[in-house]
Amino acid sequence: SNQTLGFPARLSRRKALSLVKELDAFPKVSDSYVVTSTSGGTVSLIAFSTMALLSVLEFFVYQDTWMKYEYEVDKDFSSKLRINVDITVAMRCQHVGADILDLAETMITSGGLQYEPVVFELTPKQREWQSTLHRIQNRLREEHALQEVLYKSLLKGAPTALPPREAVFMQSPDACRIHGDIYVNKVAGNLHITVGKPIHHPQGHAHIAAFVSHESYNFSHRIDRLCFGEEIPGIINPLDGTEKITYDNNQMYQYFITVVPTKLKTYKITADTHQFSVTERERVINHTAGSHGVSGIFFKYDTSSLMVTVSEQHMPLWQFLVRLCGIIGGIYSTTGECRAFLHLHVF
């Protein structure tokens, strides 16, 4: 009885396997009908080499990243804007002062700034660093894609700060390094460095310049660092390394700056910083010739209403596998057509 019950079961299993075999969409050719040839082997060799080469190139593409830029309205108007300053002026510290007056006529004291007596002339090592920075700035103006390279290679390169002075030349200080950070309102303002220390009074603000000789006016300056928001090592700002030399006591320098809030999201760092563009202008104050104003260095800044989010993107793994399968499958099918074409022409 056991044999009688097992026979129909085996029969139904054979029918099922036979049915599945009939559904085979890829019928196999018997080995006795397969003929190898030199042309077919050559095509196969080329196909496998092409597959390997394109697969390696595709892997490099998968490893690479790119920067994605998104724009939206900046809704944060209550927070403070941080200004990072490192400027050297060719005047003694007791003769110059820096402060900020914004559009709301709010006087921002320069309590966060330090006045350090230094030598204006750079040492050979510092001058070499500045020349390198100038070359990078020129390349950034010509090739904007280099900025993405800087974003992705944060903390890798050399420091963007001026190297310290070697204690070899014992010169007396003839300049003043003004450095530090200030927190201001997110409205248009004017950071200015001019003769005399700033004083505050209800009618406005002024600088005490009565005790400073006019012959000592010299607003030759070097901007080692000027940036807005959080400082990010490795980022080079438009005015970093700028140096202006004047031989006129009444020189006026103006920098018109538009600040754009920027959120930076890379695989190395996430930070809230600010990019900015700048337009420069300089002229000699001569009241008799109609050129009015005050001698000094003026940074007139304004914030943009748009915010930019810069995020580092990477190809997903599933997309890499789909592209890899497409490369291998496409080459395999194209190779089959080529082999059939060569077979027809040979035989």
Side-chain angles (χ1 to χ4, degrees), residues 29-87:
V29 180
S30 177
D31 292 339
S32 59
Y33 295 101
V34 176
V35 179
T36 58
S37 63
T38 305
S39 59
T42 304
V43 172
S44 299
L45 183 61
I46 295 174
F48 290 137
S49 301
T50 306
M51 285 182 191
L53 177 61
L54 293 181
S55 298
V56 171
L57 294 177
E58 190 64 28
F59 180 73
F60 285 131
V61 173
Y62 170 70
Q63 281 191 317
D64 194 18
T65 60
W66 65 91
M67 307 308 294
K68 181 181 179 181
Y69 294 82
E70 298 176 299
Y71 303 88
E72 59 180 309
V73 177
D74 184 18
K75 301 177 182 178
D76 183 15
F77 294 102
S78 59
S79 63
K80 296 290 186 178
L81 176 64
R82 175 181 170 182
I83 305 179
N84 308 288
V85 179
D86 192 348
I87 302 172

Side-chain angles (χ1 to χ4, degrees), residues 15 23 34-35 41 62-63 94 96 134 150 156 170 172 178 188 193-194 210-211 222 251 257 271 276 315 325 344 347:
K15 287 183 178 180
L23 295 175
V34 176
V35 179
Y62 170 70
Q63 281 191 317
Q94 61 266 28
V96 294
H134 284 168
L150 291 177
K156 281 186 178 180
M170 300 300 294
S172 59
I178 304 174
I193 302 172
T194 188
F211 304 103
R222 182 175 58 253
Q251 192 74 21
I257 298 173
F276 66 90
M315 182 188 297
C325 292
L344 289 175
F347 296 97

Side-chain angles (χ1 to χ4, degrees), residues 64-243:
D64 194 18
T65 60
W66 65 91
M67 307 308 294
K68 181 181 179 181
Y69 294 82
E70 298 176 299
Y71 303 88
E72 59 180 309
V73 177
D74 184 18
K75 301 177 182 178
D76 183 15
F77 294 102
S78 59
S79 63
K80 296 290 186 178
L81 176 64
R82 175 181 170 182
I83 305 179
N84 308 288
V85 179
D86 192 348
I87 302 172
T88 303
V89 185
M91 293 180 64
R92 298 187 180 277
C93 290
Q94 61 266 28
H95 294 163
V96 294
D99 60 347
I100 296 178
L101 184 66
D102 63 20
L103 194 61
E105 296 185 355
T106 302
M107 186 71 181
I108 309 296
T109 60
S110 57
L113 297 179
Q114 301 178 22
Y115 295 80
E116 179 185 348
V118 294
V119 177
F120 187 78
E121 184 62 31
L122 296 176
T123 63
K125 183 179 179 180
Q126 291 176 324
R127 185 64 66 182
E128 181 182 358
W129 173 88
Q130 190 186 46
S131 300
T132 303
L133 184 59
H134 284 168
R135 288 195 294 269
I136 296 175
Q137 290 280 31
N138 293 332
R139 290 292 302 276
L140 284 172
R141 294 186 185 99
E142 296 171 0
E143 303 180 27
H144 300 287
L146 288 179
Q147 186 64 54
E148 294 190 2
V149 178
L150 291 177
Y151 281 147
K152 292 191 289 186
S153 61
L154 294 177
L155 310 177
K156 281 186 178 180
T160 53
L162 184 70
R165 176 176 292 272
E166 304 94 332
V168 177
F169 304 99
M170 300 300 294
Q171 300 181 16
S172 59
D174 58 353
C176 184
R177 179 191 174 203
I178 304 174
H179 60 98
D181 52 77
I182 313 173
Y183 289 88
V184 300
N185 301 318
K186 291 183 72 173
V187 295
N190 184 2
L191 165 64
H192 50 275
I193 302 172
T194 188
V195 178
K197 298 299 181 182
I199 59 173
H200 310 281
H201 58 85
Q203 301 297 325
H205 85 289
H207 288 254
I208 303 178
F211 304 103
V212 183
S213 171
H214 185 266
E215 285 72 21
S216 64
Y217 287 19
N218 184 1
F219 287 103
S220 299
H221 62 280
R222 182 175 58 253
I223 304 174
D224 295 323
R225 187 127 181 115
L226 180 68
C227 63
F228 297 82
E230 183 180 347
E231 284 194 84
I232 303 177
I235 293 296
I236 299 177
N237 298 283
L239 287 176
D240 291 353
T242 300
E243 187 176 54

